[in-house]
Amino acid sequence: MTLHPEVAAYRAVRAAAGTPPLYTQTLAEARAADLAAIRAGGGPVEPVTEVRDERIPGPAGELPLRVYRPSGPGPLPTVLYFFGGGWTLGSIDTADGICRRLANAVPCQVITVGYRLAPEHPFPAAVHDCHAATSWIARHADRLGVDPTRLAVGGDSAGGNLAAAVTLLSRTDGPPLAAQLLIYPNTDQSGDPVGDDDPALFNRHSVAWYRRHYLSDPGHARDPLASPLLADDLSGLPPALVITAELDPLRAEGQRYAERLRDAGVPTRLAHYPGMIHGFFAMPGTFTDGRRAQEGAAAFLRERFGLSAGPEAAQVDEPAVTGPAVADG
């Protein structure tokens, strides 16, 4: 596997600076460093017509929401976006750049959910927070200007894991979902983490560190809400776009999940980015492929929401794509 030139340059800067891996820091240090790194690599902050904070009831108290609304009348198609951070780091601020760009590029309303973090609140607290928020928003669609027939979920890394888990719960308990956007998702926590030991990049030690915080009982790794790949049946789930990166220790499990979705009859597209690393999607200011992946995600959502593609969408270059194009379903 060969590092993309932009990844090689990024790695060299981190190595030269002696940037400590997050898994060697205290929780407070890691949480601050994670947000700082995402902001540094996120590029310019895009203005959105309206950005506001809300609070809604959750399973164990109020949950914060941030609502990003582009211009346009009436109820809007909406994506609930769950931030990444290994269920341990992150906040609604972590996903701010992604949410702004998706809101403008689709265009659609984007809502991010401040779910509870581990180790203070281990599995399954985050799953239940995210599903509760999804259900509450669907029930209160009028209040938030949501078109409940065009409601999707998405997220990166741990957020992709949570989005996949929410689709499993929503299949039986509602609400109906139009799409799922899974960006280098964790899908199987039952085996030993894979990958190399490069301390300058997200590696197998990173994966293990997050798991230890999230799964207070190692046996929970077999629960499909922690490891969606282990679900017996993936049929009836919403159409999916799964994004993977070649140098990501989560690559294989993301690709296997896409394959299982497709085998279960779920319209699924797998977009794979050679030479890229975990986290690239959140860093379009550092990685050209981060911008391309965000544009591809917006095009997928636009298609699922039945929106016409603008001239900018028509110019988006596709990455290496595995599997059929997303079909109606």
Side-chain angles (χ1 to χ4, degrees), residues 148-170:
T149 68
R150 294 186 292 174
L151 181 63
V153 293
D156 59 290
S157 192
N161 166 277
L162 293 170
V166 166
T167 69
L168 293 173
L169 290 172
S170 295

Side-chain angles (χ1 to χ4, degrees), residues 114-203:
Y115 58 84
R116 289 172 288 168
L117 297 179
E120 298 92 336
H121 305 283
F123 173 84
V127 177
H128 292 316
D129 284 355
C130 291
H131 182 248
T134 304
S135 299
W136 190 94
I137 288 167
R139 293 195 307 271
H140 298 83
D142 290 345
R143 170 177 163 177
L144 294 175
V146 172
D147 178 352
T149 68
R150 294 186 292 174
L151 181 63
V153 293
D156 59 290
S157 192
N161 166 277
L162 293 170
V166 166
T167 69
L168 293 173
L169 290 172
S170 295
R171 180 175 56 182
T172 54
D173 301 333
L177 298 170
Q180 54 179 319
L181 171 62
L182 309 180
I183 303 151
Y184 33 77
N186 307 70
T187 65
D188 184 1
Q189 305 197 66
S190 65
D192 292 331
V194 300
D196 61 27
D197 299 328
D198 189 341
L201 300 174
F202 184 89
N203 60 42

